[in-house]
């Protein structure tokens, strides 16, 4: 069994729309392809013993134990890989419940798809599942302990953290999108101009000034003291001598903590002797040279949470501890506590395992104990000096008993320090009594306070403290999304993207858009290259200046990692034809249609899928869609259009020489086709499709008809506005067309235009693309022979695994099948082929270059035109 391919989908994809985060495995079952699970001795029993949770895995009928029953009855080994990969993640605290297995068109090759929470964990689970399955089939001894431990570690390395996860979950519940920025660790909530950032419980609204104040514990204490807030007396010290002087003034017991610190790191409390205080000082200096020495305040440790100036929740925190039973050793007591199903590794569960670390051992030594000591029944032993949940502490919700005085105090503190999300640490004997009456004190003020103690307290009522954070960032009724137009198809998507962006820019939107030649923000190219994948879409959606996104979504990007968004407002599908077949496991045009159909399936319920009614496969995408549908067609009498508008639908058609919108029974004429520059006087019929789709996108986006008309007329095709798309140049002796057309459908469309063009001689410069099928390259040759009087064969720089001679022979085979007498000229380099055609073309010729390097070809033609112009001027 061998993994041939592993892909990580990060958004809606060919493999799953509903479950955007899936791993796709392409498995070669090799010599095990004919083995069914019921042929492997005791496989079901071995699986249950190794991974007991597999019993909960349901069958397709939804019954518990269904998977184990399926193994007994007989299924493929790839199905076992799927379920093991899911269960390994679940055992490591990453519940991932979706999986599917698909047979490929090749015997012995299966696709396994399963969901993941963390990418690296999903990858590891996939590889481990294959290894474990093979070992079970070979009857080898198998253990998953190391695999689960590795997945635990990956989870802790990659996990958002409980505070971030809670905020994201609440955002998703409000239909607010998010993007994780792996470089900075920031989470983008919302898109474009509406986005906000969070990092744990700190957000883009949080005052940097307030964070600095809270981070300086001495400054915080002075500010609070001045405002009448009870705080412990303390001193900042840098040396052992300073520590002695502070203790002489404050008296024992004391607390030592780094002046600049967080999460309780380096803090030690209730230090009753010089030896203890000196150790605490040394520990604190690992984190900060300056150490705060304070009076120890008797009482319980409470955290009060204030969000947006309002008290939200409170919890009493208890350090990691065990209670003696007179029989068990301390080690046994710790193990017993750690068996609590609520405890897990790191932030995996509501509580964290108690770990006996250096600090715990020091506490034991100071009390004259070891891990083998037996505590008397009822005696409590604290194993940590601070009450942090991340070190095994517990939390009890006390929100409902906090005294109003203390509520007001917490709200005042948040305002005084200036924190929008503020954690106030209080030591007091009873939070239900005003702080001054208990001789309690405010110990610390925290920016980015942990939310876990409130979300999942050990005891008491869980509080949804993420909701007020989201409501602060995005008050109800305020926007979080920018409109998204997603455009796909075999041909025409780039031009449609550019035209749609131009129209929306004309309307006044600040548009960001992606194309095959770059990412554009408000008309400026920011990133150069083929930018039609998810990374490029994310780039636009994260841009804080953009309020409308137009995203070209190509086949390659969708198959590589899925979409960058889970929903769009307008999804446009131009067409589907035989291109890139045999690549990315897409072997038929029907498979390709399923890839393109991802776009309309992600359109939101009130949005529109804009579909080509002249294309059978695109028209068929309407089945099962939950959004509204608009069609476009070059035939106003298309029965599909007639049926659609009779039911009150929306459509755009070529009608009596006009671009017209049909809405219900009304006909709205937009403009005469011949007057729209992109159509080249109506001769470029393929561009009329682009105009129709963009017109619908504009109309759905609430553009007035006159605005659409003006935008269409002001979009002038040129190497600047539509690079590589119908770039026409008029030279003194010839006309030159440069186009990126690289597949049969696009060449057919260009051929129709060239057939309607008058010329003394038509010269075509063509090339084959190495990763296309033999029949595709022969067809390119046949099409060229039908249109051109003279053909020059060039070659791409990247032959994509083929031999150049082989590619040329396939093209010539197609040419000779139409015109046996036509002997093509072979000039390998594109620029030399074009230069030859320009130099030797007869007067009145039409030269068409199907180009690889658009900028270079345009530059060559411009230079040739300039030389001819100078020559003509000098002759006169």
């Amino acid at each position: 069994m061998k993994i041939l391919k592993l892909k990580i989908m990060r958004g809606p994809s060919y493999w799953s729309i509903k479950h955007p985060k899936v791993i796709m495995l392409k498995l070669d079952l090799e010599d095990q392809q004919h083995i069914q699970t019921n042929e492997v001795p005791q496989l079901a029993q071995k699986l249950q013993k190794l991974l007991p949770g597999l019993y909960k895995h349901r069958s397709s009928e939804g019954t518990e134990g269904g998977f184990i029953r399926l193994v007994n009855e007989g299924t493929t080994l790839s199905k076992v890989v799927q379920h093991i990969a899911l269960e390994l993640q679940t055992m490591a605290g990453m519940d991932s419940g979706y999986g599917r297995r698909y047979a490929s068109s090749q015997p012995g090759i299966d696709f396994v798809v399963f969901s993941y929470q963390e990418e690296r964990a999903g990858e590891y689970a996939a590889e481990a599942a294959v290894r474990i399955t093979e070992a079970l089939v070979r009857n080898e001894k198998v253990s998953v302990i190391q695999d689960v431990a590795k997945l635990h570690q990956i989870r802790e390395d990659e996990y958002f953290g409980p505070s971030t996860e809670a905020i994201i979950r609440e955002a998703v519940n409000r239909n607010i999108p998010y993007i994780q920025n792996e470089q900075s660790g920031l989470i983008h909530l919302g898109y474009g101009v509406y986005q906000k950032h969070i990092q744990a419980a700190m957000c883009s609204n949080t005052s940097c000034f307030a964070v600095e104040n809270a981070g300086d514990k001495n400054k915080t204490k002075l500010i609070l003291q001045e405002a009448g807030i009870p705080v412990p007396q303390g001193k900042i010290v840098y040396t052992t001598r300073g520590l002695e002087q502070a203790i002489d003034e404050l008296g024992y017991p004391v607390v030592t903590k780094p002046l600049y610190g967080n999460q309780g790191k380096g803090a030690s409390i209730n230090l009753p002797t010089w030896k203890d205080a000196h150790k605490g000082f040394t520990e604190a200096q690992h984190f900060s040279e300056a150490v705060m020495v304070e009076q120890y305040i008797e009482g319980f440790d409470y955290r009060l949470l204030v969000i947006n100036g309002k008290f939200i929740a409170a919890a009493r925190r208890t350090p990691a501890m065990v209670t003696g039973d007179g029989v068990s050793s301390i080690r046994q007591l710790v193990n017993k506590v750690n068996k609590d199903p609520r405890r897990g590794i790191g932030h995996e569960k509501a509580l964290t395992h108690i770990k006996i670390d250096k600090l715990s051992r020091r506490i034991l030594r100071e009390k004259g104990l070891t891990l083998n000591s037996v505590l008397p029944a009822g005696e409590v032993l604290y194993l940590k000096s601070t009450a942090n949940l991340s070190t095994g502490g517990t939390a009890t919700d006390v929100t409902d008993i906090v005294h109003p005085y203390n509520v007001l105090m917490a709200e005042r503190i948040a305002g005084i320090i200036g924190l929008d999300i503020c954690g106030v640490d209080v030591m007091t004997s009873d939070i239900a009594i005003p702080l001054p009456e208990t001789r309690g004190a405010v110990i610390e003020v925290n920016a980015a306070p942990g939310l876990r103690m409130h979300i999942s307290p050990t005891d008491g009522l869980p509080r949804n403290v993420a909701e007020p954070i989201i409501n602060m960032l995005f008050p109800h009724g305020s926007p979080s999304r920018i409109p998204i137009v997603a455009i796909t198809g075999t041909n025409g998507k780039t031009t449609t993207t550019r035209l749609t962006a131009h129209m929306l820019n004309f309307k006044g939107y600040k548009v960001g858009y992606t194309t095959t030649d770059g990412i554009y923000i408000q008309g400026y190219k920011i990133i150069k290259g083929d930018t039609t994948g998810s990374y490029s879409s994310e780039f636009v959606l994260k841009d804080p200046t953009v309020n409308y996104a137009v995203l070209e979504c190509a086949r390659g990007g969708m198959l590589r990692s899925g979409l960058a968004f889970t929903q769009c407002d307008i999804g446009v599908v131009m067409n589907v034809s035989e291109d890139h077949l045999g690549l990315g496991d897409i072997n038929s045009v029907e498979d390709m249609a399923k890839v393109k159909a991802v776009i309309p399936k992600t359109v939101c319920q009130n949005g529109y899928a804009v579909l080509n009614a002249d294309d059978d496969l695109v028209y068929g995408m309407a089945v099962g869609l939950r959004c509204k549908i608009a069609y476009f067609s070059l035939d106003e009498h298309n029965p599909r259009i007639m049926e659609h508008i009779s039911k009150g639908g929306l459509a755009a058609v070529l009608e009596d020489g006009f671009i017209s919108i049909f809405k219900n029974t009304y006909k709205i004429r937009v403009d005469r086709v011949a007057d729209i520059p992109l159509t080249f006087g109506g001769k470029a019929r393929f561009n009329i499709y682009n105009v129709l789709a963009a017109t619908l996108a504009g109309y759905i986006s609430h553009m007035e008809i006159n605005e659409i008309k003006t935008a269409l007329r002001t979009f002038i095709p040129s190497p600047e506005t539509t690079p590589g798309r119908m770039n026409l140049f008029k030279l003194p002796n010839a006309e030159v067309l440069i186009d990126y057309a690289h597949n049969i459908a696009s060449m057919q469309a260009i051929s129709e235009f060239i057939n309607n063009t008058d010329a003394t001689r038509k010269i075509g410069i063509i090339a084959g693309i190495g990763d296309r099928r033999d029949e595709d390259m022969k067809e390119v040759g046949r099409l060229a022979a039908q249109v051109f009087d003279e053909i020059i064969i060039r070659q791409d720089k990247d032959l994509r695994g083929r031999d150049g001679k082989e590619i040329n022979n396939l093209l010539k085979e197609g040419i000779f099948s139409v015109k046996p007498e036509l002997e093509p000229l072979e000039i390998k380099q594109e620029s030399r082929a074009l230069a030859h055609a320009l130099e030797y073309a007869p007067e009145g010729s039409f030269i068409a270059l199907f180009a690889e390097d658009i900028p270079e070809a345009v530059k060559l033609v411009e230079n040739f035109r300039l030389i001819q112009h100078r020559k003509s001027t000098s002759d006169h």
Side-chain angles (χ1 to χ4, degrees):
M1 192 180 294
K2 183 168 65 177
I3 297 175
L4 299 177
K5 195 178 294 180
L6 187 154
K7 287 186 178 181
I8 302 170
M9 299 294 120
R10 302 178 179 92
S13 69
Y14 174 77
W15 300 104
S16 178
I17 304 293
K18 185 178 178 182
H19 302 275
K21 295 172 69 171
V22 296
I23 299 284
M24 187 284 285
L25 277 183
K26 185 178 181 181
L27 276 183
D28 185 351
L29 298 174
E30 298 180 307
D31 56 348
Q32 297 170 341
Q33 63 178 287
H34 299 300
I35 298 176
Q36 289 284 294
T37 54
N38 57 351
E39 297 172 31
V40 180
Q42 296 185 313
L43 179 58
Q45 293 92 318
K46 291 176 185 176
L47 284 169
Q48 271 195 276
K49 184 178 179 182
L50 187 67
L51 302 159
L54 283 177
Y55 184 76
K56 294 182 180 179
H57 289 215
R58 299 175 181 272
S59 64
S60 55
E61 294 82 27
T63 54
E64 194 172 86
F67 169 65
I68 294 298
R69 187 173 63 254
L70 188 65
V71 172
N72 276 319
E73 292 171 354
T75 187
T76 64
L77 293 176
S78 52
K79 194 73 178 172
V80 175
V81 170
Q82 170 203 320
H83 283 267
I84 292 177
L86 290 171
E87 185 58 25
L88 286 173
Q89 293 179 85
T90 300
M91 291 173 72
M94 295 169 285
D95 195 9
S96 307
Y98 172 79
R100 291 289 184 272
R101 170 260 174 190
Y102 303 97
S104 80
S105 56
Q106 300 170 268
I109 306 293
D110 277 3
F111 296 108
V112 173
V113 178
F114 63 89
S115 56
Y116 67 88
Q117 282 189 10
E118 307 296 338
E119 288 185 11
R120 281 205 301 133
E123 282 186 274
Y124 184 89
E127 291 161 359
V130 171
R131 171 170 36 83
I132 291 167
T133 302
E134 285 194 297
L136 289 171
V137 172
R138 291 195 295 263
N139 198 27
E140 295 173 356
K141 190 175 180 180
V142 181
S143 171
V144 297
I145 294 172
Q146 288 186 333
D147 290 319
V148 174
K150 177 66 175 178
L151 286 168
H152 267 301
Q153 185 57 55
I154 293 172
R155 182 186 185 279
E156 287 306 297
D157 292 343
E158 305 289 330
Y159 179 52
F160 282 141
S163 298
T164 304
E165 185 184 43
I167 295 169
I168 289 174
R169 190 187 308 120
E170 187 61 31
V172 171
N173 289 342
R174 282 269 309 272
N175 198 29
I176 296 168
Y178 75 93
I179 298 173
Q180 183 178 5
N181 192 321
E182 294 185 10
Q183 300 299 322
S184 67
L186 294 176
I187 304 294
H188 297 251
L189 297 177
Y191 291 151
V193 295
Y194 303 121
Q195 68 186 280
K196 306 286 185 182
H197 302 152
I198 63 164
Q199 192 166 39
M202 191 184 302
C203 67
S204 48
N205 291 2
T206 302
S207 163
C208 176
F209 176 77
V211 174
E212 284 192 13
N213 280 343
D216 186 330
K217 298 185 184 347
N218 189 53
K219 182 187 283 188
T220 298
K221 191 162 71 170
L222 293 174
I223 292 171
L224 297 183
Q225 199 168 29
E226 190 177 300
I229 307 293
V231 294
Q233 293 182 26
K235 293 280 185 181
I236 300 171
V237 301
Y238 297 86
T239 63
T240 303
R241 176 63 183 151
L243 177 65
E244 285 183 285
Q245 291 173 343
I247 292 174
D248 285 344
E249 186 176 330
L250 299 171
Y252 290 110
V254 294
V255 172
T256 58
K257 56 188 176 184
L259 181 61
Y260 305 103
N262 56 36
Q263 296 182 338
K265 292 174 183 174
S268 302
I269 64 171
N270 197 12
L271 306 173
T273 67
W274 168 251
K275 183 180 178 183
D276 297 322
H278 188 264
K279 285 182 179 178
F281 171 75
T282 304
E283 180 67 22
Q285 281 207 316
H286 289 313
F287 299 91
S288 168
E289 184 182 358
V291 175
M292 174 68 75
V293 183
E294 291 180 340
Q295 292 174 309
Y296 174 67
I297 306 297
E298 292 283 350
F300 297 106
D301 184 339
Y302 291 92
R303 166 65 62 80
L304 279 61
L305 180 66
V306 179
I307 298 171
N308 202 21
K310 183 177 174 58
F311 168 75
I312 298 298
R316 188 180 72 208
R317 302 185 296 175
T318 304
M321 55 166 277
V322 291
T323 303
D325 59 9
V327 178
S328 305
S329 68
I330 293 172
R331 178 182 279 111
Q332 289 170 331
L333 291 173
V334 170
N335 291 337
K336 185 177 178 181
V337 169
N338 283 341
K339 286 180 180 178
D340 184 336
R342 295 174 298 174
R343 290 189 183 270
I345 296 172
H347 294 112
E348 172 190 358
K349 296 182 180 179
L351 296 173
T352 299
H353 283 151
I354 297 174
K355 186 178 179 181
I356 302 298
D357 56 12
K358 184 178 177 182
L359 175 60
S360 304
R361 293 180 189 278
R362 190 181 84 191
I363 291 171
L364 290 174
R365 280 197 308 272
E366 290 168 354
K367 292 181 178 293
L369 300 170
T370 71
L371 288 172
N372 294 322
S373 301
V374 176
L375 295 178
E379 182 175 318
V380 172
L381 172 66
Y382 292 105
L383 294 163
K384 308 290 178 183
S385 59
T386 58
N388 295 78
L389 269 67
S390 58
T391 59
T394 59
T396 301
D397 177 72
V398 295
T399 304
D400 296 328
I401 65 169
V402 180
H403 192 279
Y405 177 94
N406 296 335
V407 168
L408 175 62
M409 178 191 70
E411 292 176 347
R412 287 185 64 229
I413 290 170
I416 290 164
I417 301 299
L419 286 171
D420 55 353
I421 305 173
C422 178
V424 180
D425 290 346
V426 175
M427 287 294 287
T428 179
S429 57
D430 193 343
I431 199 69
I433 300 172
L435 199 62
E437 295 180 21
T438 64
R439 296 189 179 183
V442 173
I443 304 301
E444 207 164 283
V445 178
N446 299 275
L451 306 181
R452 184 183 179 194
M453 68 189 77
H454 308 295
I455 297 162
S456 304
T458 316
D459 298 296
L461 192 66
R463 308 284 174 167
N464 183 3
V465 296
E467 183 178 15
I469 294 175
I470 290 297
N471 290 342
M472 175 182 70
L473 296 173
F474 299 96
H476 283 284
S478 64
S480 62
R481 295 176 177 268
I482 60 173
I484 298 173
V485 180
I487 299 170
T488 193
T490 303
N491 295 305
K493 54 188 178 292
T494 299
T495 301
T496 306
T497 297
R498 286 180 164 275
L499 176 57
T500 303
H502 170 79
M503 293 171 69
L504 293 166
N505 180 67
F506 179 82
K507 177 70 175 174
Y509 288 108
K510 295 178 179 179
V511 182
Y513 65 95
T514 62
T515 69
T516 50
D517 69 292
I519 301 173
Y520 293 77
I521 303 295
Q522 297 188 53
Y524 293 95
K525 185 187 283 189
I526 307 298
I527 301 290
K528 183 181 179 182
D530 187 346
T531 56
T532 55
S534 61
Y535 169 81
S536 305
S537 295
E538 274 193 3
F539 187 99
V540 169
L541 297 173
K542 289 191 296 189
D543 192 281
T545 69
V546 169
N547 62 10
Y548 215 119
V550 183
L551 308 174
E552 179 180 346
C553 301
R555 165 208 63 89
M558 286 195 278
L559 287 174
R560 188 165 48 250
S561 59
L563 298 176
F565 47 88
T566 55
Q567 67 178 55
C568 60
D569 300 88
I570 302 172
V572 181
V573 187
M574 300 304 301
N575 44 58
V576 181
S577 61
E578 293 183 344
D579 187 29
H580 297 101
L581 297 184
L583 301 177
D585 301 302
I586 303 302
N587 300 309
S588 69
V589 70
E590 288 76 19
D591 287 343
M592 186 64 73
K594 291 176 184 176
V595 177
K596 308 292 185 185
V598 171
I599 292 295
K601 287 179 180 178
T602 58
V603 177
C604 61
Q605 195 166 352
N606 292 321
Y608 273 90
V610 177
L611 306 177
N612 185 346
D614 294 343
D615 185 307
D616 292 344
L617 289 170
V618 176
Y619 178 75
M621 293 178 190
V623 177
L625 294 183
R626 298 173 61 189
C627 61
K628 301 173 187 176
I629 298 170
Y631 292 113
F632 58 95
S633 171
L634 292 188
D635 178 9
E636 64 173 304
H637 301 298
N638 184 325
R640 295 166 175 174
I641 297 290
M642 294 294 100
E643 181 185 3
H644 183 62
I645 61 175
S646 70
K647 296 176 181 177
L650 181 67
V653 299
L654 173 61
E655 175 262 327
D656 197 21
F658 283 84
I659 296 294
S660 296
I661 294 172
F662 287 176
K663 185 178 182 182
N664 299 323
T665 57
Y666 297 98
K667 182 187 297 182
I668 308 168
R669 283 186 168 174
V670 178
D671 199 9
R672 191 180 299 276
V673 169
D675 293 334
I676 299 172
L678 189 61
T679 71
F680 294 89
K683 290 188 291 184
R685 288 179 66 82
F686 53 92
N687 271 350
I688 299 176
Y689 277 117
N690 303 333
V691 169
L692 290 168
T695 295
L696 279 172
Y699 186 78
I700 292 165
S701 300
H702 309 297
M703 290 184 69
E704 301 290 337
I705 296 301
N706 282 339
E707 292 174 327
I708 296 174
K709 178 178 178 178
T710 305
L712 291 174
R713 289 200 178 193
T714 54
F715 187 75
I716 312 299
S718 70
E720 291 72 39
T721 56
T722 54
R725 272 76 184 173
M726 287 295 291
N727 298 154
L728 271 173
F729 303 85
K730 291 189 181 297
L731 307 182
N733 68 322
E735 196 169 359
V736 180
L737 169 67
I738 297 176
D739 199 280
Y740 180 64
H742 60 287
N743 57 50
I744 294 167
S746 56
M747 285 195 67
Q748 286 172 332
I750 297 291
S751 298
E752 184 182 349
F753 174 81
I754 295 172
N755 282 332
N756 293 326
T757 302
D758 293 327
T760 57
R761 191 163 185 79
K762 296 177 181 178
I763 304 167
I765 305 171
I766 67 170
I769 300 177
D771 60 3
R772 300 304 197 268
R773 300 173 304 175
D774 288 0
E775 57 263 38
D776 294 334
M777 285 191 272
K778 292 175 189 176
E779 183 61 22
V780 167
R782 281 193 288 270
L783 284 170
Q786 290 168 4
V787 177
F788 298 113
D789 306 303
E790 182 180 333
I791 295 174
I792 300 172
I793 298 176
R794 63 165 189 83
Q795 285 185 358
D796 282 351
K797 293 175 184 175
D798 181 4
L799 298 179
R800 308 190 190 192
R802 289 255 200 171
D803 178 71
K805 187 175 181 181
E806 178 191 4
I807 292 172
N808 288 6
N809 286 340
L810 289 167
L811 290 170
K812 286 193 282 187
E813 188 176 335
I815 292 168
F816 296 150
S817 69
V818 177
K819 291 181 179 176
E821 74 285 357
L822 197 161
E823 188 61 45
L825 182 63
E826 296 181 51
I827 302 177
K828 184 176 179 180
Q829 192 176 345
E830 181 175 287
S831 57
R832 288 185 58 202
L834 177 57
H836 180 277
L838 291 169
E839 186 69 31
Y840 296 105
E843 187 77 24
S845 293
F846 186 95
I847 302 168
L849 167 64
F850 298 101
E852 178 185 31
D853 190 339
I854 300 296
E856 186 63 29
V858 169
K859 184 178 177 182
L860 197 154
V861 173
E862 293 283 13
N863 288 341
F864 190 84
R865 179 163 60 184
L866 184 62
I867 291 168
Q868 284 198 323
H869 175 72
R870 287 174 178 169
K871 183 179 178 182
S872 174
T873 304
S874 62
D875 289 345
H876 286 84

